């Protein structure tokens, strides 16, 4: 873990990568290209450095020793909104990253060429900061505030766990659209098999108890048999 002392106008990039060979190559290559490199090899270090160094850009590996880069990407997208470039080892991971709309600005696949990566980094840095992301989504009497991570019904707070909020957010950002069970699992329970859907069903059940007047006969969070779920206004 290394921390930049001063940036004198140079962009600060937080590199979250547990493979030393990549970490070393990026340190050298990006510094030569005029970036200040701040390195983390775990999500715990990344969270710490995100707060202490306020990077302009994050280069984020998917598979990390203490968790998934996907989760961290979503955290960043829901909070400080520093642009994130996802770095994945397999194209199957890219499909997931793209399919999830987790808020990544771009992605590259390993092995990548440094020149291509830097071109993408510069392109992302040139983009104007966060366009018109919706901060609040309403459905029925419910109001979901993404900045505060809160849900209210007719102005009264409804207590949600972190996972419950994230799952509801997944549905709310696709209001009126079917969200497949597969997408739910991939988004919130990275690595869990499609066959093991009890966790998902439990969370849906709990959400219904909190947002539906009659949880047994839901009108907002409805099941699309054999496919997934849909949140209706
Ligand atoms: Ca890795």
């Amino acid at each position: 873990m290394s921390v930049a002392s001063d940036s004198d106008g140079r962009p600060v990039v937080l590199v979250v990568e547990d493979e030393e060979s990549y970490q070393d190559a990026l340190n050298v290559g990006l510094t030569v290209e005029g970036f200040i490199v701040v390195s983390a090899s775990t999500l715990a270090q990344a969270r710490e450095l995100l707060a202490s160094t306020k990077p302009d850009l994050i280069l984020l590996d998917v598979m990390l020793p203490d968790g998934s880069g996907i989760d961290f990407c979503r955290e960043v997208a829901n909070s400080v909104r520093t642009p994130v470039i996802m770095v994945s080892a397999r194209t199957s991971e890219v499909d997931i990253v793209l399919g999830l709309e987790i808020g990544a600005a771009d992605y590259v696949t390993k092995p990548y060429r440094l020149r291509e990566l830097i071109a993408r980094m510069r392109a992302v840095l040139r983009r104007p900061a966060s366009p018109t992301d919706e901060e609040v989504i309403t459905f029925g009497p419910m109001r979901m505030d993404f900045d505060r991570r809160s849900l209210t019904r007719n102005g009264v707070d409804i207590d949600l766990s972190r996972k419950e909020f994230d799952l509801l957010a997944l549905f709310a950002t696709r209001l009126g659209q079917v969200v497949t069970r597969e997408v739910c699992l991939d988004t919130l329970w990275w690595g869990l098999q499609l066959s093991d859907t009890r966790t998902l069903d439990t969370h849906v059940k709990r959400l219904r108890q909190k947002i539906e007047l009659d949880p047994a006969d839901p009108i907002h969070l409805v099941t699309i048999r054999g496919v997934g779920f849909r949140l209706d206004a």
Side-chain angles (χ1 to χ4, degrees), residues 6-26:
D6 73 306
S7 66
D8 51 273
R10 288 186 289 162
V12 176
V13 55
L14 172 59
V15 176
V16 189
E17 171 63 73
D18 60 322
E19 277 172 67
E20 246 177 79
S21 56
Y22 275 96
Q23 190 67 267
D24 292 347
L26 286 171

Side-chain angles (χ1 to χ4, degrees), residues 17-19 61-65 110:
E17 171 63 73
D18 60 322
E19 277 172 67
D61 187 27
V62 173
M63 301 295 275
L64 291 155
K110 286 178 182 174

Side-chain angles (χ1 to χ4, degrees), residues 58-74:
I58 301 171
L59 222 53
L60 180 58
D61 187 27
V62 173
M63 301 295 275
L64 291 155
D66 56 345
S68 162
I70 305 256
D71 291 334
F72 185 59
C73 182
R74 197 174 292 109

Side-chain angles (χ1 to χ4, degrees), residues 56-207:
D56 301 295
L57 180 68
I58 301 171
L59 222 53
L60 180 58
D61 187 27
V62 173
M63 301 295 275
L64 291 155
D66 56 345
S68 162
I70 305 256
D71 291 334
F72 185 59
C73 182
R74 197 174 292 109
E75 270 173 49
V76 171
N78 285 334
S79 55
V80 288
R81 297 191 179 181
T82 308
V84 174
I85 297 181
M86 297 296 300
V87 181
S88 64
R90 300 189 304 265
T91 44
S92 60
E93 288 175 356
V94 170
D95 289 343
I96 291 166
V97 167
L98 289 179
L100 295 182
E101 300 168 38
I102 55 170
D106 203 353
Y107 69 93
V108 292
T109 315
K110 286 178 182 174
Y112 49 77
R113 288 181 309 162
L114 191 62
R115 192 179 299 175
E116 186 200 345
L117 176 66
I118 290 170
R120 284 172 181 244
M121 290 170 68
R122 295 225 161 98
V124 166
L125 285 170
R126 279 195 301 267
R127 285 185 204 166
S130 131
T132 50
D133 286 1
E134 225 152 343
E135 309 286 346
V136 172
I137 292 178
T138 56
F139 54 98
M142 250 64 73
R143 185 176 190 279
M144 194 164 191
D145 186 322
F146 287 81
D147 267 354
R148 289 180 52 224
R149 285 184 67 85
S150 70
L151 177 73
T152 54
R153 183 214 300 270
N154 295 324
V156 180
D157 272 317
I158 298 176
D159 197 32
L160 295 181
S161 74
R162 198 186 131 178
K163 277 281 195 235
E164 287 166 0
F165 185 92
D166 288 344
L167 183 60
L168 189 60
L170 181 67
F171 296 137
T173 51
R174 293 160 181 77
L175 204 62
Q177 300 169 33
V178 178
V179 182
T180 64
R181 304 178 75 89
E182 196 168 8
V183 166
C184 295
L185 289 174
D186 280 345
T187 311
L188 276 93
W189 291 278
W190 176 252
L192 206 65
Q193 295 303 306
L194 191 57
S195 55
D196 185 11
T197 59
R198 249 176 317 172
T199 312
L200 172 59
D201 289 325
T202 307
H203 279 76
V204 166
K205 196 174 163 191
R206 270 195 240 136
L207 274 180

